[in-house]
Amino acid sequence: MFKPIPVAIGLRYLRAKRRNGFISFISMASILGIALGVMVLITTLAVMSGFQKEIRDRLLQMAAHATVSAEGAPMHDWQHAVQVAMSDARVAGAAPYIEIQGMLSGPRVQGAMVQGILPSEESKVSVIAQKMKQGSIDSLTPGSFHIVLGQELALWLGVRVGDSVVVTLADIQGTPVGAMPRLKRFTVSGIFEAGYNEIDRGLAVVNMDDLQRVLKMDGVTGVRLKLHDMDRAFEVARDLALNLQGAYRVSDWTQENANLYHSLKMEKTVMGILLSLIIAMGAFNLVSSQVMLVTDKQADIAILRTLGLSPGGVMQVFMVQGTLIGVIGTVLGVVGGIVLTLNLERILELIESIFNVQLLPEDVYYITGLPTDMQTPDVVAITIVALLMSFLATLYPAWRAARTQPAEALRYE
């Protein structure tokens, strides 16, 4: 089969047994370095994506994908808002809520977000009923003044099911002795565990009617939405607000948890950049091996030049040879990274059984395995970066080979 001369010679240099074994060793080290960097980067980003997805899923099991709330006043006609939301095919569920900051007092005092819900509607937007460790969400009946606490919050307060807590709300009422915050005694009827510390420690749930009576409020804070596609949360909530009459405030899960969302995204980006240095090390090894190869092939270069091969052709020979080394290393790294990621949990279990240790204690991390989420865009980006680094690593040695003068190279041959 016909091949361009630079490609044919470059392939021959890749297959041929070199006189200098050290050059072969450096070339193999370059391949292994690039492969190792690609493999580690794919696996690490898959694990970070897995943890990010695990945290996001646990958070959004208890929190809304999006909320639509009245601006500056309670939402009175929330039934109409729910009806309009459910008519949208993108919405999986909708439910009203009241939310206010409060201070809970038991044997100890702890601040928390107090949320009023309708137990019959709450299952449409969260899985709190499935996260109950003690008691039931159905115990939040109107007029009972029962309260359900997160597990960490209950521990901080020092209360159990059946105990009483005094809830002081951040809502001032006028009294004969002056302005006073609203407060009410509630009975703990259940404890839930979401597996996410911010919720387990910072959320208390009561019946919406009871919270309305305490606040003397005839409406709700807003409507919470659960969507089929959480990435379209703001778009769907905005469309709902536009379909309703009046001024409404729209927010989605990325805004309400902006610090967490951006920190997870930043951690993944920074880790990707740092681990890319491993690929860069393999590329530097490739530069070294190519420079030594050019020195070793001075006579060959001189002969090719005398036979009529142009400096550009000489440059292409070594670019082809070096790029192929990068391609081989990248392909091995991608295959190795995918295989390692798919079997990472089995490898973790094997290490734990051999050394009799528990690397991810369930009571600390709230998970029973190592979550991974290998995303195609990440693999493609890593592959492109590795190939680009490998290509750039060939430019200087190839340029140096193109500058070889035939007379100087053959003088001592």
Side-chain angles (χ1 to χ4, degrees):
M1 183 181 294
F2 174 77
K3 296 178 183 176
I5 291 177
V7 175
I9 298 174
L11 292 173
R12 182 177 177 83
Y13 279 172
L14 184 67
R15 297 193 304 265
K17 182 178 180 181
R18 300 187 181 94
R19 293 172 296 173
N20 193 332
F22 185 66
I23 298 176
S24 300
F25 172 77
I26 294 296
S27 298
M28 185 59 65
S30 302
I31 293 175
L32 293 178
I34 295 171
L36 181 63
V38 171
M39 182 177 68
V40 170
L41 190 51
I42 288 176
T43 304
T44 302
L45 292 187
V47 171
M48 294 194 71
S49 297
F51 273 107
Q52 183 176 341
K53 184 175 182 296
E54 186 77 16
I55 292 173
R56 185 186 66 183
D57 290 348
R58 292 189 179 203
L59 173 64
L60 295 181
Q61 284 179 344
M62 302 294 293
H65 293 171
T67 59
V68 177
S69 55
E71 188 69 34
M75 179 186 289
H76 297 285
D77 193 10
W78 61 265
Q79 293 89 346
H80 175 66
V82 170
Q83 183 179 2
V84 173
M86 293 304 298
S87 65
D88 192 327
R90 297 170 296 179
V91 178
Y97 76 102
I98 299 175
E99 196 168 72
I100 187 170
Q101 193 70 36
M103 185 70 70
L104 280 65
S105 305
R108 293 185 290 272
V109 179
Q110 177 67 28
M113 185 65 69
V114 181
Q115 194 172 87
I117 66 169
L118 291 178
S120 59
E121 302 292 321
E122 188 64 15
S123 60
K124 297 178 180 178
V125 294
S126 78
V127 295
I128 187 172
Q130 303 171 24
K131 299 294 182 179
M132 297 298 297
K133 304 292 286 186
Q134 300 179 45
S136 171
I137 196 70
D138 294 329
S139 63
L140 301 179
T141 55
S144 63
F145 289 99
H146 286 168
I147 188 169
V148 171
L149 305 176
Q151 182 170 265
E152 295 295 324
L153 179 59
L155 289 174
W156 275 85
L157 291 172
V159 297
R160 296 178 295 181
V161 173
D163 293 342
S164 296
V165 294
V166 176
V167 179
T168 304
L169 301 175
D171 184 69
I172 303 301
Q173 60 177 335
T175 67
V177 295
M180 296 287 291
R182 299 183 186 275
L183 54 88
K184 178 66 179 179
R185 185 178 297 275
F186 285 80
T187 302
V188 179
S189 63
I191 294 175
F192 65 84
E193 181 184 14
Y196 182 65
N197 188 65
E198 293 298 323
I199 293 178
D200 287 339
R201 185 176 173 180
L203 180 64
V205 182
V206 301
N207 186 279
M208 193 174 76
D209 292 339
D210 291 347
L211 194 55
Q212 285 177 326
R213 290 173 62 181
V214 175
L215 295 173
K216 301 186 184 304
M217 180 179 180
D218 59 353
V220 300
T221 302
V223 173
R224 302 163 67 203
L225 305 177
K226 182 179 181 180
L227 311 176
H228 294 293
D229 183 2
M230 67 180 68
D231 293 328
R232 303 181 65 183
F234 185 82
E235 173 191 342
V236 175
R238 181 195 59 197
D239 292 345
L240 173 60
L242 292 175
N243 290 331
L244 300 174
Q245 296 182 355
Y248 292 94
R249 179 177 178 271
V250 175
S251 64
D252 64 356
W253 65 274
T254 61
Q255 294 173 331
E256 294 176 359
N257 304 279
N259 292 337
L260 174 65
Y261 178 73
H262 291 301
S263 65
L264 290 174
K265 191 173 181 179
M266 180 63 69
E267 285 177 6
K268 182 178 177 180
T269 302
V270 172
M271 186 62 69
I273 294 174
L274 292 178
L275 290 179
S276 296
L277 297 178
I278 301 178
I279 303 177
M281 290 174 61
F284 279 119
N285 286 337
L286 180 57
V287 174
S288 302
S289 67
Q290 290 298 99
V291 169
M292 286 188 288
L293 177 64
V294 169
T295 303
D296 188 55
K297 297 294 184 181
Q298 289 288 311
D300 293 3
I301 296 171
I303 293 172
L304 290 171
R305 289 292 307 280
T306 57
L307 290 175
L309 190 64
S310 66
V314 173
M315 191 172 181
Q316 292 175 30
V317 168
F318 291 94
M319 287 178 63
V320 167
Q321 197 265 353
T323 302
L324 284 174
I325 290 177
V327 170
I328 294 172
T330 302
V331 170
L332 291 176
V334 170
V335 173
I338 293 174
V339 172
L340 178 60
T341 301
L342 295 177
N343 295 277
L344 194 58
E345 192 164 350
R346 297 187 186 93
I347 295 173
L348 182 67
E349 293 173 355
L350 180 62
I351 294 174
E352 290 179 338
S353 62
I354 292 176
F355 296 99
N356 196 25
V357 295
Q358 191 173 8
L359 299 178
L360 294 172
E362 184 179 356
D363 56 342
V364 176
Y365 297 99
Y366 296 99
I367 57 176
T368 56
L370 186 62
T372 57
D373 181 23
M374 186 166 50
Q375 300 179 353
T376 301
D378 290 342
V379 177
V380 172
I382 293 168
T383 302
I384 293 174
V385 168
L387 292 175
L388 182 61
M389 285 186 178
S390 301
F391 174 75
L392 294 176
T394 65
L395 294 180
Y396 171 72
W399 174 78
R400 183 171 174 176
R403 295 185 62 195
T404 300
Q405 298 298 323
E408 292 293 330
L410 294 173
R411 175 175 296 178
Y412 302 104
E413 289 294 329

